[in-house]
Every structure is written in structure tokens, then in C-alpha cells.
Amino acid sequence: MENELRREGDVLVLTVPDGGIGADRLARSPDDGDLPADGVTTLRVEASADWKWGTVDAAFLAALLRRLRKGNAEVTLEGVPREMASLLELAGDAGDPPAEKPPPGLRKRLGLWALGEWKEIKAMLALVGEVVLRLPRFAAGRAKVRRNEVIDVLAESSTRALLIVGIVNLLMGAILAFVGAVQLRAFGAGIYVADLVGIASVRELAPVMTAIVLAGRTGASFAARIATMQGNEEIDALVTLGIPPEEFLVLPRVVALALLMPLLYVYACAVSLVGGMMVAVPMMDITATGYMVETQAAVKSANFAIGGTKALVFGAMVALIGCRCGLRAGRSAADVGQATTSAVVNAIVAIIAVDAVFAVCANALDI
């Protein structure tokens, strides 16, 4: 049996059956039917005295009152318990739900994206400034860092990364030698494979590939660890104790990776040259001694200087990006994964972009 609505002068009477206000009646909001709302000043509810009111009844009555009060009309409610009347009064004060906003246009989305990126760039520059200002304290041994933390970061960035760095650079040197051998064999210039592998590895591939490997390994580890600390409110605890997170967490990681990257770069160069020699010697029918002599003649000290500078910059950059992504992470487990992914992607993009800047500058200086 459905609810019965009838008009008695300026009073609208709602008769509630024994089964209460049905959910099927609630699904059909009073807005949808023909409701005699004009001139109604009172809504009277008639229900049995022992009826227990529920949330379905409250939802239906709130929708009915909202319909009757359109146009700022004052409609009083009668025949409901005091608690129900108070609940409906609160529901009426809440007003109608806000209209759904249309999705932003293309220009607005681009503007919001640009503002977000500019805000992130400023935060990154601020972090760089904090690290640079605290470097003298770290060099003097007065920085607030733990010795075990520094040793762990050094191990994570050096010995534990030797295997993957060696494998990647060995294979890259072999690939370079194979591609060069196929092309140079047609001109009878097989010995120049050593020049190709040496210059490309020392100047470009060794620093870039090593930095990318560390971005996916060490940079992601930095971001995940700091983001987890952020979720556990350990960062807030450090701030409460007066310990700057930039000094306690970021500074040792940046210093360690920046100092160890040139050493890993030298190791990567040696492994890459060995990989090229392993392919070039049997394919081009040249001796290992001839290959090494040609490499020494082709690779100048300027190439090592450029590669070593790149390695130093890439190391500091990977550490800074990883720490920044960890510091800006949210509190949930999903935010930890997002921070890790963001650290790897941003670091790789930054490495390629900075390498392009190095290439342009070296060309302009004729190095």
C-alpha cells in the first residue's frame, strides 16, 4: 500500500500505511509526480502511534518538504516525533545539493597544469638551495646526520649497484661494437670500431646509462623510503624535534650519490670498453693490443672531463629528485608507489634533458 497525499485547504495530509513509507515510494521522489504544493502552509503526517520511524521515512519527508518549500514558502510540519522534526530541520538547513560543475576546458586544464609544474619547480629549487646551504656544515662534521645512515647510503649507491651497472654497460659496449663493425667492415676500417666505442662510451653512454640505472634503483629506493617515513609521520616527528629533514635525510643521500657517481662512471667506462673489445676482436680480426692502442689514441682527456662532470651532476640530480618525490608524497600506501614511479620517470627525463644541454654547450665550446 502506497502513502496517501490529500489536500485539506492549506494543509497537505500524508497518511502513512502500516508498512511505513515504502522504498518504492522513496525511489519516486515527490518532485516527479503531481504534487498539490501551491498555497500549502502545513504538512501533517498521520501515522499509527506505535510506528517506529526510520531513515527511509526521514529521507522521504525531507524530499517532500524541500519540494513544498520551493519559492521560500514557510511550511510547518506536524505529526512527527520531536527527534524526527529536529533531524528534518537540520536536513532543510543543509539546502539543495550543489549543482555539478562542468568539466574544465582545455585552456583551464593547461593553466592548472602549468601552475602545478611551476609550484613544483619552485619547491625543487628551494630544496636545492637548502642542500647547498648545509654543505659546509656537512663538510665540517656538524650536520645532523647519523653515521649508520650515511654508510647505508654509500653501500646502496656503490657496491650493491656494481653488478647491474657492469652488466648494462658491458652489453652497451658490445652492441656499439657490433653495429660499428657491420657498417665499417664494408669500408675496410674495422679498427675504427675502437674509436666509436671509446668516444661514445666515455662521453655519452657510460654516464647516461649509469645514471638511468641508479635512477631506477637508488633514486626509487630513496623516494620509497622517505615516502614511507612520510606515511608513518616520521618526517613530522623530525620537524617537531627541530631536525630539518633536508639535512637529516636529503643531504647525506645527495652527497653520497654525487661523490660515488664519478667512481661508478670510471668503472662503467672500463666495462664498456671491454664489452666492445670482446665483439670487435673476433669480428674484425684485430688484436686486443691494437684495439686498446687505438682507443687510447681516440679518447682524449676532454672526453673524460665531460663524462665525469655529467656523472657528478647526474648523481646529485637523481638523489635530489628521489628525495623530493618522497618528501611530497601523501600518507597512504598508494602514495608511496606513486612517489617511486614519479621519481624514476622524472629522473630519467631530467637526465636526458641535461645531457642534451651538455651536448649543446660542448658543441658551442668546440670540445
Side-chain angles (χ1 to χ4, degrees):
M1 178 179 177
E2 283 194 350
N3 320 312
E4 180 185 348
L5 281 170
R6 69 179 186 275
R7 181 77 176 267
E8 296 180 357
D10 59 353
V11 178
L12 185 64
V13 181
L14 171 64
T15 302
V16 181
D18 294 338
I21 298 178
D24 58 340
R25 188 73 172 92
L26 178 62
R28 300 199 307 276
S29 171
D31 297 344
D32 301 332
D34 296 330
L35 185 64
D38 296 338
V40 172
T41 60
T42 305
L43 173 63
R44 182 189 304 151
V45 181
E46 295 180 351
S48 58
D50 57 348
W51 171 248
K52 296 184 182 299
W53 296 88
T55 55
V56 174
D57 310 322
F60 179 82
L61 290 175
L64 182 57
L65 284 172
R66 190 162 48 247
R67 175 70 175 89
L68 293 173
R69 288 170 177 168
K70 279 188 175 179
N72 297 325
E74 289 293 334
V75 179
T76 58
L77 180 64
E78 298 177 353
V80 297
R82 185 177 59 184
E83 295 81 2
M84 177 66 72
S86 300
L87 179 62
L88 292 174
E89 185 178 353
L90 289 174
D93 293 340
D96 295 331
E100 186 175 349
K101 294 182 180 180
L106 178 60
R107 285 192 303 174
K108 186 174 182 179
R109 291 200 300 270
L110 287 175
L112 292 174
W113 174 82
L115 289 175
E117 291 299 316
W118 174 242
K119 183 179 179 181
E120 181 59 29
I121 289 173
K122 290 195 296 183
M124 188 67 184
L125 291 177
L127 180 61
V128 173
E130 291 282 348
V131 171
V132 172
L133 289 176
R134 286 177 167 83
L135 278 175
R137 288 175 53 86
F138 184 86
R142 294 186 289 109
K144 295 179 181 179
V145 296
R146 291 187 306 175
R147 181 179 178 183
N148 292 338
E149 181 83 9
V150 175
I151 294 175
D152 186 59
V153 172
L154 290 173
E156 176 119 8
S157 308
S158 57
T159 56
R160 298 176 190 170
L162 287 177
L163 180 61
I164 184 65
V165 170
I167 291 174
V168 169
N169 284 279
L170 181 72
L171 293 177
M172 288 305 302
I175 292 170
L176 273 177
F178 181 78
V179 173
V182 171
Q183 300 300 321
L184 294 174
R185 181 187 297 169
F187 301 97
I191 190 62
Y192 292 108
V193 172
D195 300 56
L196 173 65
V197 175
I199 296 175
S201 298
V202 170
R203 188 167 178 142
E204 295 292 339
L205 285 180
V208 171
M209 295 307 300
T210 304
I212 290 176
V213 168
L214 290 184
R217 187 187 182 282
T218 309
S221 174
F222 290 170
R225 183 172 298 183
I226 296 177
T228 303
M229 295 177 67
Q230 187 79 276
N232 294 335
E233 300 182 355
E234 297 177 43
I235 306 293
D236 297 334
L238 289 175
V239 175
T240 304
L241 294 173
I243 301 175
E246 297 84 4
E247 183 174 315
F248 188 77
L249 297 174
V250 180
L251 184 59
R253 287 169 169 80
V254 173
V255 172
L257 205 55
L259 293 179
L260 289 175
M261 261 295 289
L263 300 179
L264 288 174
Y265 159 73
V266 174
Y267 166 73
C269 289
V271 174
S272 181
L273 294 177
V274 170
M277 185 175 63
M278 290 171 59
V279 173
V281 168
M283 283 192 65
M284 306 307 298
D285 195 22
I286 58 178
T287 63
T289 303
Y291 181 92
M292 295 306 300
V293 170
E294 184 65 25
T295 300
Q296 290 177 357
V299 181
K300 306 299 182 183
S301 59
N303 296 321
F304 279 104
I306 293 174
T309 305
K310 285 183 181 181
L312 178 66
V313 174
F314 291 163
M317 193 167 57
V318 167
L320 281 168
I321 292 175
C323 294
R324 172 58 193 162
C325 291
L327 288 173
R328 74 178 183 188
R331 306 287 185 178
S332 65
D335 292 326
V336 176
Q338 185 178 0
T340 305
T341 304
S342 179
V344 176
V345 174
N346 291 340
I348 292 176
V349 172
I351 289 167
I352 302 301
V354 173
D355 185 66
V357 173
F358 268 102
V360 172
C361 294
N363 182 68
L365 297 173
D366 196 21
I367 299 179

